[in-house]
Amino acid sequence: MDSEVSADLKEHCSVADVRRCLSYLLPHLDAFWAQPLATYATALYDVEPFSCGDEVRVHAMDRLRVCVERAARRSGYGEEDALSASAEVLSAPVMQTGPHAMLLIEPDAFYTHMFSLLGLMSHGRQWHITYSVSTSAFKESAKKGPGWLRVGGETLNVFGLPRKRLIGSSIGCLNGPYRYAFSNSRHEVAPNASAARLLAELPAAGFPSGAEAIKMGNQALWHGKLAAPAKLLQLDDFDMADLIADHLDDRKSWLSAHFFDGVMAALSILEETDRLNAGPWAGWVRRTTDLFWGLEKNRVVPLHLEGGALKSLRSPSFEVKLTPKRLAAALRERAILPGMFMTYLVVSTLPGVRALGGCRQTVYLPLMRYLASIGVRLSGAAGLLAALERDKLPGVWGHRVLKPADTDPFQEIEAAGGISPLLSTYANLTLEQASGDLASFTTDPIWAEMSAHIDDGTIKRISSEWLWSGP
């Protein structure tokens, strides 16, 4: 199941079409287009404290809190901070999940984090907790992706990687060390003054994966150059792997006792995914891989479920039985990483955490909740099903909401003397102004298809697949 990617730069629908589709699918959004961005951010981060009597959801939240505490310790926080982060997940179950793992001064990430800060500050929150996909490639398109960054007017190679590594390798692969370089095509390290200043802000150490290097680089920037008013905690696919393994090692977990107790639930969800892709919802949730990815030395590879086991077409000898014990072992050994359905199941759907996401996530997360409901029904977990039905705005548009044109965040921070003046400026823009040309929507043909399906009535707010988007 894949992430959100614009196919090309050609416009397939208008900005007006996109706003109309978003307002139709997410009716709460319509009232915010003309309001200040800070008002919208405040609304998205306005969540009730966790309170649910369903034992499956309570257990899932307990497991997520353990995951958060562990991730905080791994990121260098002390025990008091780790417990504080865990407590805030309980008191305010909301998480930014839009940007992929990339340096937070990359425009696609930076402005989303600034948007989140507007919401967090309005509620006096102490933590900015995020989840980022870390199975993506270093290069997603021409000089775009986690391996590239435009600094000082030049697009630079973040880790100074050779072309073969940029194209073929995933940032999640444990084939380091990775060190920051910001090199140009002549292999000059930090060739301009801005790049040299940025390099000085980042750790000099080598890291086992690009994902880990990015995570620790972001920690340094967040508490250094940005001096942000909230603590940053980044969860990635390795944290999700351990969280899922914790579930699978615990027979009290619904995931262990029911979802992977045999293959019926998994098969039913995969079959329903195929059905979605044969109708008007085609393309939103794809079977790029079956539940998990295989992690090789240099790349992440798709797996398929066959005969009760996950197998790889690239490696005929690779096989992981779809049982709690075998899956947990493979996750802890880093032989596999979770796909997006599994990740959102344990970080959002089961524990009841609101997820902020981008142009495709606004649709695929509700559809993933619909798929999860199939497994929940099969297991007979009526309490969990009722909790899912009551979830208020479980997935919202909160990434690429603030999108200034042609900007260099690092230079913008330096010119403003920090992020506080920037936040004040962004806060007063209307949502319509802040979101700009909505290019991530208009250049993606799937939104033109969505517009047509809404117009002809094949997709409705009352469609059974969309009922899980929340009341």
Side-chain angles (χ1 to χ4, degrees), residues 145-449:
W148 297 97
L149 185 71
R150 189 164 181 80
V151 187
E154 296 182 77
T155 301
L156 302 175
N157 187 328
V158 172
F159 300 110
L161 297 177
R163 184 173 182 274
K164 183 178 179 181
R165 289 276 295 279
L166 277 170
I167 295 174
S169 189
S170 164
I171 63 170
C173 292
L174 301 167
N175 56 2
Y178 288 89
R179 291 183 172 85
Y180 287 102
F182 301 112
S183 62
N184 59 17
S185 58
R186 296 181 297 278
H187 308 293
E188 297 168 332
V189 173
N192 61 63
S194 291
R197 290 194 298 274
L198 174 57
L199 187 60
E201 297 278 347
L202 293 163
F207 296 92
S209 69
E212 184 67 14
I214 289 167
K215 180 188 284 191
M216 298 315 294
N218 284 343
Q219 287 292 132
L221 289 170
W222 188 264
H223 297 292
K225 191 70 175 177
L226 273 66
K231 298 183 180 74
L232 175 67
L233 180 61
Q234 305 162 89
L235 305 178
D236 63 15
D237 287 319
F238 293 98
D239 297 303
M240 295 300 103
D242 290 337
L243 172 56
I244 293 170
D246 288 347
H247 274 276
L248 296 174
D249 283 335
D250 185 349
R251 289 301 295 173
K252 294 179 182 177
S253 167
W254 175 84
L255 205 62
S256 175
H258 297 286
F259 191 81
F260 287 116
D261 182 25
V263 298
M264 184 184 297
L267 281 174
S268 296
I269 285 170
L270 294 175
E271 288 169 0
E272 185 61 17
T273 301
D274 290 339
R275 189 194 69 80
L276 289 176
N277 280 291
W281 300 100
W284 291 103
V285 183
R286 294 188 291 181
R287 279 184 70 175
T288 310
T289 191
D290 286 354
L291 305 177
F292 297 90
W293 294 96
L295 185 61
E296 297 182 351
K297 180 181 179 181
N298 292 312
R299 66 180 63 211
V300 172
V301 298
L303 303 175
H304 63 280
L305 182 59
E306 179 185 332
L310 295 171
K311 299 182 180 181
S312 169
L313 294 175
R314 282 174 52 90
S315 305
S317 62
F318 181 93
E319 180 176 299
V320 177
K321 291 289 186 184
L322 207 72
T323 65
K325 181 178 180 180
R326 296 299 185 190
L327 289 170
L331 287 162
R332 297 199 191 281
E333 292 164 4
R334 304 308 190 223
I336 61 174
L337 287 175
M340 291 181 69
F341 173 80
M342 291 304 305
T343 288
Y344 282 105
L345 186 65
V346 296
V347 82
S348 175
T349 305
L350 291 180
V353 174
R354 177 179 295 172
L356 279 63
C359 63
R360 287 202 171 194
Q361 189 178 326
T362 53
V363 176
Y364 72 62
L365 182 58
L367 294 181
M368 286 181 178
R369 286 170 52 83
Y370 162 69
L371 293 172
S373 74
I374 294 170
V376 174
R377 275 202 181 92
L378 286 172
S379 72
L384 176 58
L385 197 66
L388 290 174
E389 290 172 343
R390 290 192 301 268
D391 284 339
K392 182 181 179 182
L393 302 180
V396 291
W397 178 42
H399 171 43
R400 296 174 178 152
V401 172
L402 172 62
K403 204 171 182 297
D406 302 321
T407 55
D408 181 332
F410 191 69
Q411 289 186 344
E412 197 175 357
I413 294 165
E414 291 192 322
I419 64 171
S420 292
L422 301 179
L423 289 169
S424 297
T425 300
Y426 304 149
N428 293 318
L429 298 171
T430 66
L431 175 59
E432 186 171 324
Q433 291 170 331
S435 55
D437 60 9
L438 295 173
S440 58
F441 293 86
T442 61
T443 60
D444 189 339
I446 203 167
W447 278 99
E449 295 166 12

Side-chain angles (χ1 to χ4, degrees), residues 43-98:
L44 296 197
Y45 278 89
D46 183 15
V47 290
E48 295 293 325
F50 179 86
S51 63
C52 181
D54 176 65
E55 60 182 12
V56 174
R57 176 154 282 188
V58 170
H59 184 273
M61 174 56 80
D62 288 345
R63 294 259 59 93
L64 177 59
R65 292 181 67 195
V66 169
C67 170
V68 164
E69 292 169 14
R70 181 170 54 221
R73 296 185 194 101
R74 287 174 175 172
S75 296
Y77 291 109
E79 188 65 19
E80 185 176 343
D81 278 336
L83 295 174
S84 169
S86 169
E88 192 152 299
V89 170
L90 197 65
S91 63
V94 57
M95 191 178 299
Q96 175 58 254
T97 68

